[in-house]
Amino acid sequence: VRESKPIIAAVNGAAVGIGITMILPFDVIIASDNAKFGLVFIKMGIVPELASTHFLVSRVGWGKASEMMLSGHLYTGEEVHKSGLTEYLTKENELMDKALEIANRMADNPDKQLLMTKQLLTTNAVTTNLKAAEELETKLLHECWETEEHKEAVSAFLEKRKPNFR
C-alpha cells in the first residue's frame, strides 16, 4: 500500500478488525459521523495483524493505540477523529465529496513525485537517523531536478499558469 499511488479511505459504517487494519497505512482516512471503528482482536482471543500495531501507534500515539487494542472497544467516527486516527470527520452525505476533493488535489500532482514523497514519508517516519533521512531526500530531490515534471512546473510558474503533468 505504501508503494502505491495515494490511497484514501472513506469510512461510512463499520471498520472493525481487518476493516480497520487494512486502512491504517492509507494516506488519508475520512470518517462519516455514521462510522464505527474497532480493533477487536483481543476479544476474539487473537492479536492484531497487517503491521497494525506499528501503523496505529504512528497515527494516534502509544497510549491511545494501547487503549484501543487492549480494550477491543468500538469507537464512533467522532471519537477516533479526536484521537487523530482520521484526518477528517464529515456528515454521512458529505463523505464521498470530501474524499473526491482530497483525491483530486493529490491527482493534480505528478505521479513520479507522489510515489517518491510516499517513499520518503514511509522510510523517514520511522528512522532515528536524521542524516540518513536527509540523504534520501537529497538523492530523490536530485532525481526530480532532471524530470519533465519539474521542468513543466518551473515553466508553469514562470508563465503564471497551472502545470500540466499529464
Side-chain angles (χ1 to χ4, degrees), residues 103-121:
N104 285 326
R105 274 192 245 149
M106 291 178 182
D108 284 344
N109 297 307
D111 293 343
K112 184 174 186 172
Q113 285 76 3
L114 285 168
L115 294 174
M116 289 173 146
T117 301
K118 281 188 66 164
Q119 177 189 356
L120 288 169
L121 287 166

Side-chain angles (χ1 to χ4, degrees), residues 8-16 19-24 26 28-38 75-78 80 85-86 88-96 99:
I8 298 169
V11 182
N12 188 33
V16 177
I20 188 173
T21 60
M22 69 185 218
I23 65 172
L24 289 174
F26 283 25
V28 176
I29 301 173
I30 307 166
S32 81
D33 50 13
N34 189 46
K36 300 275 188 251
F37 294 80
Y75 296 88
T76 66
E78 184 176 358
V80 296
L85 179 63
T86 66
Y88 297 94
L89 177 66
T90 70
K91 295 190 181 315
E92 184 177 356
N93 64 336
E94 297 170 358
L95 178 67
M96 290 311 295

Side-chain angles (χ1 to χ4, degrees), residues 35-137:
K36 300 275 188 251
F37 294 80
L39 292 135
V40 297
F41 302 99
I42 197 88
K43 292 195 176 290
M44 301 300 296
I46 58 175
V47 297
E49 89 289 63
L50 297 176
S52 58
T53 52
H54 164 81
F55 288 113
L56 188 64
V57 169
S58 295
R59 284 192 172 271
V60 301
W62 185 271
K64 190 63 177 179
S66 295
E67 177 194 329
M68 292 177 80
M69 288 190 164
L70 296 174
S71 73
H73 182 73
L74 201 60
Y75 296 88
T76 66
E78 184 176 358
E79 288 172 318
V80 296
H81 180 66
K82 285 180 180 176
S83 74
L85 179 63
T86 66
E87 283 68 46
Y88 297 94
L89 177 66
T90 70
K91 295 190 181 315
E92 184 177 356
N93 64 336
E94 297 170 358
L95 178 67
M96 290 311 295
D97 288 341
K98 187 64 173 177
L100 290 170
E101 172 192 329
I102 296 163
N104 285 326
R105 274 192 245 149
M106 291 178 182
D108 284 344
N109 297 307
D111 293 343
K112 184 174 186 172
Q113 285 76 3
L114 285 168
L115 294 174
M116 289 173 146
T117 301
K118 281 188 66 164
Q119 177 189 356
L120 288 169
L121 287 166
T122 302
T123 303
N124 291 348
V126 296
T127 188
T128 56
N129 184 339
L130 295 180
K131 184 173 171 55
E134 185 178 350
E135 286 173 356
L136 181 57
E137 290 170 347

